[in-house]
Amino acid sequence: MSSSPESDLPLDGTPLTAFPSPDLPSPLPQSPVLRAAYRAKAAANELAPLPRTPKDEALLAIADALVVRTREIVEANAEDVERAREAGTSESIIDRLTLNRERVAAIAADVRHVAGLPDPVGEVVRGSTLPNGLDLRQVRVPLGVVGIIYEARPNVTVDAAALCLKSGNAVLLRGSSSAYSSNRKLVEVLRDAVGGAGLPADCIQLVPGESRESVTELMRARGMVDVLIPRGGAALIRNVVENSTVPVIETGTGNCHVYVDAETDLAMAVEILVNSKASRPSVCNAAETLLVHKDVADAFVPLALDALAEAGVTVHADDRVLAYAPDSKATVVPATVEDWETEYLSYDIAAGIVDSLEAAVAHIRLWSSGHTEAIVTTSQSAARRFTQLVDATTVAVNASTRFTDGGQFGFGAEIGISTQKLHARGPMGLPELTSTKYIVTGDGHVRG
Amino acid sequence: MSSSPESDLPLDGTPLTAFPSPDLPSPLPQSPVLRAAYRAKAAANELAPLPRTPKDEALLAIADALVVRTREIVEANAEDVERAREAGTSESIIDRLTLNRERVAAIAADVRHVAGLPDPVGEVVRGSTLPNGLDLRQVRVPLGVVGIIYEARPNVTVDAAALCLKSGNAVLLRGSSSAYSSNRKLVEVLRDAVGGAGLPADCIQLVPGESRESVTELMRARGMVDVLIPRGGAALIRNVVENSTVPVIETGTGNCHVYVDAETDLAMAVEILVNSKASRPSVCNAAETLLVHKDVADAFVPLALDALAEAGVTVHADDRVLAYAPDSKATVVPATVEDWETEYLSYDIAAGIVDSLEAAVAHIRLWSSGHTEAIVTTSQSAARRFTQLVDATTVAVNASTRFTDGGQFGFGAEIGISTQKLHARGPMGLPELTSTKYIVTGDGHVRG
């Protein structure tokens, strides 16, 4: 099976019946990125009205193809890995880049799992009969064309494509150029499988070109691309957020706090702190700052410092926490203002003592990225006040910050964690990849 | 009662405990727009946890104050009207600008109506107990600070402020400079009433300055303003959409179509066409294009042309519709390509004949702004196919396009009609002025 050919564009004046926007560029787009977006929009129009079964069949065909064509995929990936080694890339990044037989099998299993999830498209979100007899229904529909910009993790290529296909969207994938060989091969495998299952292969496309200009073009393709989702580091996300005219869903930056209240269970607080910080420091739902109520500091801080030391965590402490350092085994260094805003993503944590719950909330308002904030307390009123006052995607009461995750929340899948307030906030599953449309049905109703 | 003084900003290094973002400008903002946004954010933090009663009391205080202080308001408005007349402004725009006793009373009644609507904040959107025993709830919370940019309609000042207050948001109002006297007085009345009711007056603010730079600053206040909603003409909306780094909800442009299917009730089709086009041509849900299936053209087009002539509508016709013109009373002119993309907002309509339902859908995909598309048909399968294939905020079956409206849909209020796919699509009521947050409650849960 070879890669399906790209459909030809009508560049000669043929009516563009699939083109969705009155912002029709004239002459027609010559840019490879805009041509890809054009083909994606046409494919999205074909996908949108489809029921669940053909989409699931295509997903199962993808899973099968990934397994059958594992050797090709691993070989293409080896080229990227070799280039990365030659460039002196760190082992942790090379590890995330590398595909082998087991990892490809795991990716295929994830695709089968997505096929088994409910289809969000067609769900009636709201419906009623209006006083004048009109029937009103609000139903979920695909967004259309989703652009994903991401770093050197080839598994995201398949994940994102599977979630978009399941939710009836076409996807434009712009991965890191350091994973280009892997991504090109994976997208070839996906397109072949989708085409073989009778759906338009153009619903999955790699954004052509490895240059930065291709990212810029994608960000300016308003009217052709319906949403851009950047996944990766803070610099990538900031660039997209600041320069895109296509609507963006901001993901991922997590400067998360654990606040230990005056009334607390000390052992529970230690366990939640260590789990939030050290169970996986490299992810966005890991804690980065500890705030302790002054009334519990004498009892809690020594326990916390020892537990953090045992977990290998360096503590960046304010003056009041520093005072406890001499009696502990912990590595404690003085905190600077920068520590309050740093997302370490490492075995480091900032720590400070606050005079009240309100002071903790004020600190969080000032420095938090609004991802996940936890309180450990035995006081019902403190729990209630903290959840009311703190503005974040997720507020955890007596639970680790690490639970903010689509899988943990029972969504079955996750395309990212939105840290913005519009459209989606927190872990995004399949419904977050949809919009809605109203259907109004009458029998000759006119407005008086 | 005099206008409440603006709260002072801590410009001297006092801790900014209410400041929400790590993107803290340093030195602190000197710009009046950013200072207003800063104060709005602080007020939003106070509003967010409030239950319904204090917000409703403030709304009723606003309604009372509008009535009591009508004379002041009408006098301030007279200054704007006089300037507009001197500038040779058209009577229709002056009419929209003008406030009198009756209009102020109607605006006050609208505010009382908003007070009576349910509070969206605190609604549990989704909730479950996870397999590990964690309680998960997704609850509605205010967006925070909402910026509204709008044209010379002083009623929008009060409308938008009331809806934002009801939904727990602070609002930054940037009206047209041609309504500046009216808006300044209205905002003074609103702030006095809100302050008198014990809520922070800074939750309602006029964006300082009449210059274009103040709009630009508002569009760049990412991190301080949570969403911008432009309300007004296409040029205003395009400017905001293309230049804002603050997330935008695009509203309003409506190039709406009425498609008359091969199988149809001719009298119903005529009635829906005339209502869609001519009941109020200046609004975004008015029809701008008529598409007729060729099989029904001989029967329908002559009826349609006569009915449109009677309603005073000029028809911009394609060649096939033009052929019917000599036998009708209608004013019929040849359509150019521009007619298909024009939102006339006047007694004009484009009209064409299509060979199939699919051709109508293709035409709509090419030219529509995705607002409201209507089909008139007796065929169940045609109705189903049209609603599946057409991508718009609202698809109307055997009903006028004019029903796309928050009031008509039973939402009780409307802040605008979103024509984008993210966050909100179609008429936006109070729930669309909210975001959500997840609350996770455990008893010491950590992630394994």
Side-chain angles (χ1 to χ4, degrees), chain A residues 16-24 41 45-46 48-49 126 128 130-132 134 136 138 141-144 220 222 226-227 238 241-242 244-245 247-250 268 271-272 275 279 285 341 361-369 386-400 402-405 408-411 420-427 431-432 434-448, chain B residues 16-24 41 45-46 48-49 126 128 130-132 134 136 138 141-144 220 222 226-227 238 241-242 244-245 247-250 268 271-272 275 279 285 341 361-369 386-400 402-405 408-411 420-427 431-432 434-448:
Chain A
L16 278 168
T17 51
F19 201 97
S21 164
D23 302 328
L24 183 63
K41 196 72 179 178
N45 283 335
E46 285 189 58
R126 171 153 64 171
S128 64
L130 301 177
N132 60 6
L134 273 177
L136 178 70
Q138 183 184 21
V141 297
L143 285 167
R220 296 277 154 182
R222 191 178 176 96
D226 293 289
V227 59
R238 182 175 289 259
V241 160
E242 288 186 355
S244 181
T245 57
V248 172
I249 299 180
E250 195 176 348
M268 185 194 289
E271 206 182 349
I272 286 174
N275 186 264
S279 59
N285 59 18
E341 66 173 325
V361 168
H363 181 105
I364 289 169
R365 277 192 185 152
L366 185 54
W367 299 114
S368 169
S369 65
F386 189 82
T387 53
Q388 280 176 341
L389 294 181
V390 166
D391 190 27
T393 83
T394 306
V395 181
V397 178
N398 296 337
S400 170
R402 296 284 332 285
F403 286 110
T404 305
D405 173 277
Q408 293 291 321
F409 278 10
F411 300 168
Q420 70 181 33
K421 292 186 181 177
L422 283 197
H423 185 71
R425 197 177 193 204
E432 283 73 22
T434 66
S435 183
T436 61
K437 89 180 154 193
Y438 287 100
I439 298 172
V440 176
T441 309
D443 34 40
H445 285 69
V446 294
R447 193 164 160 188
Chain B
L16 277 168
T17 51
F19 201 95
S21 164
D23 301 328
L24 184 63
K41 196 72 179 180
N45 284 335
E46 285 189 58
R126 172 154 60 172
S128 64
L130 301 177
N132 60 6
L134 273 177
L136 179 69
Q138 184 184 19
V141 296
L143 286 167
R220 296 278 153 180
R222 190 176 178 98
D226 293 289
V227 59
R238 181 176 290 260
V241 160
E242 288 184 356
S244 181
T245 57
V248 173
I249 300 180
E250 193 176 350
M268 185 195 289
E271 207 181 349
I272 286 174
N275 187 264
S279 58
N285 59 18
E341 64 173 327
V361 168
H363 180 104
I364 290 168
R365 278 192 185 152
L366 186 53
W367 299 114
S368 169
S369 64
F386 189 81
T387 54
Q388 279 177 341
L389 294 181
V390 166
D391 191 25
T393 83
T394 306
V395 180
V397 177
N398 295 337
S400 169
R402 296 284 332 286
F403 286 109
T404 304
D405 174 277
Q408 294 291 321
F409 278 9
F411 299 169
Q420 70 182 31
K421 292 185 181 178
L422 283 197
H423 185 69
R425 196 177 193 205
E432 284 73 22
T434 66
S435 182
T436 61
K437 89 180 153 194
Y438 287 100
I439 298 172
V440 176
T441 309
D443 33 41
H445 284 68
V446 294
R447 193 162 160 189

Side-chain angles (χ1 to χ4, degrees), chain B residues 330-396:
Chain B
T331 307
V332 184
V333 298
T336 65
V337 168
E338 285 69 39
D339 284 296
W340 305 124
E341 64 173 327
T342 299
E343 186 186 14
Y344 298 111
L345 300 173
S346 62
Y347 286 93
D348 290 87
I349 195 166
I353 290 172
V354 292
D355 291 333
S356 64
L357 182 146
E358 286 70 25
V361 168
H363 180 104
I364 290 168
R365 278 192 185 152
L366 186 53
W367 299 114
S368 169
S369 64
H371 189 297
T372 301
E373 312 301 346
I375 180 173
V376 189
T377 185
T378 56
S379 158
Q380 170 64 11
S381 71
R384 187 169 147 86
R385 192 153 169 74
F386 189 81
T387 54
Q388 279 177 341
L389 294 181
V390 166
D391 191 25
T393 83
T394 306
V395 180

Side-chain angles (χ1 to χ4, degrees), chain A residues 384 388, chain B residues 46-56 119 121 165-166 199:
Chain A
R384 188 170 148 85
Q388 280 176 341
Chain B
E46 285 189 58
L47 285 191
L50 290 183
R52 174 174 179 164
T53 302
K55 294 187 287 187
D56 286 355
D119 184 349
V121 173
L165 175 54
K166 177 80 188 192
L199 298 195

Side-chain angles (χ1 to χ4, degrees), chain B residues 238-274:
Chain B
R238 181 176 290 260
N239 177 36
V240 175
V241 160
E242 288 184 356
N243 294 304
S244 181
T245 57
V246 174
V248 173
I249 300 180
E250 193 176 350
T251 66
T253 316
N255 182 12
C256 306
H257 297 70
V258 173
Y259 165 62
V260 178
D261 188 45
E263 299 174 49
T264 202
D265 176 322
L266 293 174
M268 185 195 289
V270 168
E271 207 181 349
I272 286 174
L273 169 65
V274 171

Side-chain angles (χ1 to χ4, degrees), chain A residues 247-291:
Chain A
V248 172
I249 299 180
E250 195 176 348
T251 66
T253 316
N255 182 13
C256 306
H257 298 69
V258 173
Y259 165 62
V260 178
D261 187 44
E263 299 176 49
T264 200
D265 177 322
L266 293 173
M268 185 194 289
V270 169
E271 206 182 349
I272 286 174
L273 169 65
V274 172
N275 186 264
S276 296
K277 175 68 253 180
S279 59
R280 199 171 168 203
S282 64
V283 292
C284 61
N285 59 18
E288 307 292 6
T289 299
L290 164 68
L291 298 173

Side-chain angles (χ1 to χ4, degrees), chain A residues 161-221:
Chain A
L163 292 170
C164 287
L165 175 54
K166 178 79 189 193
S167 51
N169 294 294
V171 67
L172 290 172
L173 297 157
R174 186 19 172 112
S176 164
S177 55
S178 58
Y180 194 70
S181 298
S182 315
N183 289 339
R184 197 174 42 190
K185 175 55 71 177
L186 284 168
V187 169
E188 179 194 313
V189 171
L190 299 179
R191 288 172 57 92
D192 288 349
V194 167
L199 298 196
D202 279 339
C203 72
I204 300 174
Q205 292 181 70
L206 208 57
V207 172
E210 302 180 56
S211 70
R212 285 191 172 272
E213 286 68 45
S214 70
V215 176
T216 305
E217 281 192 76
L218 195 57
M219 294 194 292
R220 296 277 154 182

Side-chain angles (χ1 to χ4, degrees), chain B residues 73-122:
Chain B
I73 294 165
V74 171
E75 280 172 8
N77 178 253
E79 295 171 26
D80 289 329
V81 171
E82 192 181 323
R83 270 192 297 144
R85 280 201 203 287
E86 280 166 9
T89 307
S90 76
E91 277 307 312
S92 70
I93 290 177
I94 287 180
D95 181 57
R96 289 163 78 158
L97 175 62
T98 303
L99 294 177
N100 54 34
R101 186 160 292 276
E102 291 68 39
R103 287 185 178 181
V104 174
I107 292 170
D110 285 345
V111 175
R112 283 182 210 285
H113 173 73
V114 171
L117 293 173
D119 184 349
V121 173

